[in-house]
Amino acid sequence: MLVATVALVLALGVASRVLADRLQIPSVLFLIFAGIAIGPELLGLVSRETFGGGLSAMVGVSVAIILFEGGYHLQLEKLRESPTALARLVTVGAAITWLGTAAAVVVFLETSLEVGLLVGALLIATGPTVIGPILQVVTVRDHVASVLEGEGVINDVTAAILVVVVFEVLIADNGNSLSFLVNFFGRLFIGLGIGALVAGIVWFALSRGNLAPKTGSLHARLIVLAGIVVAYGGAETIASETGIAAAAMAGFALGNVDLPHHEEVIDFLDDLSVVVLSFIFVALAALIDFEDIFTLGLAGLAIVAAITLVLRPAVIYLSTTDERFTRNERLFLSAVGPRGIIPASVATLFAVELQALGRPQEAQLLAGTVFLIIFATVVLQAGLARQIANTLEVSPMRIIIVGGGRVGLSLAARLEQDGENVLLIDSDPDAVEKARERGLRAVEGDGTDADVLERAGASEAKTVIATTPDDDVNLLVCQLAKTGFDVEKVASRVNQPDNVGAFESLDVRAIDLSMATAWSLENVLERPSLSSWMNELGRTGDVQEIEVTAADLVGKTIAELNADIPDGCIVGLLTHRDGTTEVPTGNHELRSGDRVTFLGQTDAVDGAVKRFHPHD
């Protein structure tokens, strides 16, 4: 019976993942509904008794695998995207979430402070189990993704350890405030230490083990899998709930070293995490007791509102102060903080512990509150993440710039000011570091290498721009972008005028450096005011060219559209489908496929673009 149940759970999990990929909706939404469907509330195929005493161990190892994979992908480059915001989010932000949630639970449910702190500790965690599926279907700028991923991995570790310490010290009454701190940091140190030790052993085994060429990839995967289990099991043997920290630390350490068979290990971890994520989410969702949730009544909804509408936005706005997050990116981060497996699995464990202490009502309150928050945030935040991102317009396609010299650096900075998702590639580590110091996303690598471009996301980029001082390099970058990745818009700096033809033959937008310099000098001399204002773009003004896609505007004249054009913005140019461009008069009529160039104050231009070119 157990084998059949596990097979059913895995089948539903995989089916949910396939459906989610097809519909471009985070898979956790389908996983939680699949679990509820086979649970005691509906079909009754799965219950707490189905797995016997083995569910805790299965969930523990599964969570360790997922956190190892999350840590493996959490590379130092990502953490450099927004280090201050992430540091605030996992320290001050975690503390505010913990204490604020505890206060809401105590006030609305009229329970003890100890139980409130226990629930609050559980709900610190978001986790890669829910953040990963969201980022698979929602494209956001790198600094936004890095904050979500980093918060998920780190706060999962914090929550898993903190909830044990809260229970032992405050509820089981096995210590005082000093022992609380010693217990927390002691467990954290044990977990991180064992994780680092196991990572070192795995690295040594793979780097110095002289693996056979034919079987090296297979052996690497097996060694990594063994490392995950050993890190988790070893830490748990020493102190409970430290295995999560050990697995996350081992993954982080191995993901940031030069590990043999790196790509094969990534593929293996991705496939493995899909399977275990599907299993544990469906299995734990099947254990949701709606009676516990309904017992909370309106107080439960008040807690959901306090966490999602008050605490989460407050934590995000506090953490991202003085960082390069736009207003809409802050709103997106505020709206996307679903809770995942750690709260679900640990809540089930401690509900049983509270019952054993003769506190059944508090056990019911704990399970009901945690599962209500999980259910509400997964359905509303994870399920609607793509729609939220589209509404807030935080999903720009990537622009890749190859060449981190003065031209590439200046261009990247200006495009970032325009809200674009820019990635700069250069083989010179000093150029990369200089770009990062200016707050730009930059990676070290050879832009003429297809593998480097693939990892940079060229297959999904809207534009690739080559800006190196070597025309041969620029031409090769453009060829790869056009033929290897089918990038629609490719542009290049051309250093020698005689080479312009070679670029244009590839349908590359070639910018002759000498002509561009001459044009700029002419502007300075003949049109000084315009030149000065153009050089200030991104501060007070902007120029944007867009295709008119608002169907209700086609067929109207420029004069008729004055009400739709914000004050502080004018239509500078009108480009027709046949390629002819002219300065429009009030009598010019917009036609399908026309392109309009707006010029004016930044906010006004942005408003005009949204009106004439609304998102699909």
Side-chain angles (χ1 to χ4, degrees), residues 318-565:
L318 177 65
S319 301
T320 55
T321 301
D322 300 326
E323 288 276 347
R324 57 193 178 107
F325 294 86
T326 65
R327 171 178 168 274
N328 282 3
E329 286 170 347
R330 285 177 159 189
L331 289 173
F332 177 76
L333 289 170
S334 300
V336 178
R339 271 51 177 186
I341 292 300
I342 290 293
S345 59
V346 181
T348 303
L349 170 65
F350 284 105
V352 174
E353 294 287 343
L354 283 171
Q355 287 179 335
L357 291 175
R359 303 166 75 167
Q361 288 185 332
E362 292 176 333
Q364 185 182 40
L365 181 149
L366 171 70
T369 304
V370 171
F371 277 111
L372 173 62
I373 297 297
I374 292 171
F375 186 77
T377 55
V378 166
V379 171
L380 297 177
Q381 297 184 339
L384 298 176
R386 192 178 183 196
Q387 288 74 17
I388 294 171
N390 289 339
T391 300
L392 295 175
E393 300 176 358
V394 296
S395 299
M397 293 181 69
R398 171 165 284 171
I399 294 177
I400 297 175
I401 299 176
V402 178
R406 285 174 296 180
V407 174
L409 202 59
S410 298
L411 178 61
R414 292 175 72 88
L415 291 173
E416 275 280 336
Q417 286 182 342
D418 291 338
E420 298 288 355
N421 182 17
V422 181
L423 175 66
L424 191 146
I425 301 174
D426 199 290
S427 56
D428 182 0
D430 292 335
V432 171
E433 188 60 34
K434 185 176 181 180
R436 288 172 177 165
E437 289 173 357
R438 294 183 59 172
L440 299 171
R441 166 84 165 125
V443 296
E444 184 180 343
D446 183 357
T448 64
D449 187 331
D451 290 337
V452 171
L453 290 178
E454 176 66 36
R455 288 196 295 272
S459 56
E460 298 177 353
K462 70 174 181 180
T463 306
V464 171
I465 307 171
T467 61
T468 79
D470 189 327
D471 283 349
D472 290 335
V473 171
N474 291 341
L475 188 62
L476 183 53
V477 170
C478 294
Q479 285 177 325
L480 279 172
K482 278 285 186 181
T483 61
F485 298 97
D486 198 26
V487 179
E488 180 181 351
K489 188 184 298 183
V490 180
S492 179
R493 159 188 177 179
V494 181
N495 302 280
Q496 299 296 326
D498 293 342
N499 295 331
V500 170
F503 286 87
E504 292 181 341
S505 67
L506 292 174
D507 195 26
V508 171
R509 302 186 183 189
I511 310 299
D512 181 350
L513 196 59
S514 58
M515 288 299 296
T517 303
W519 181 78
S520 297
L521 289 171
E522 181 191 4
N523 276 336
V524 170
L525 295 173
E526 301 295 334
R527 293 169 285 276
S529 296
L530 177 63
S531 176
S532 175
W533 184 81
M534 289 288 290
N535 286 329
E536 292 295 318
L537 289 183
R539 298 178 185 175
T540 59
D542 197 7
V543 178
Q544 292 287 341
E545 178 183 336
I546 51 94
E547 180 181 350
V548 179
T549 58
D552 61 316
L553 301 184
V554 175
K556 292 186 177 181
T557 64
I558 297 296
E560 292 173 325
L561 294 174
N562 276 336
D564 294 280
I565 302 173

Side-chain angles (χ1 to χ4, degrees), residues 572-593:
L573 294 172
L574 181 63
T575 303
H576 301 293
R577 292 180 62 181
D578 60 7
T580 59
T581 299
E582 56 187 331
V583 177
T585 66
N587 296 323
H588 273 94
E589 186 177 286
L590 284 185
R591 292 172 297 195
S592 178

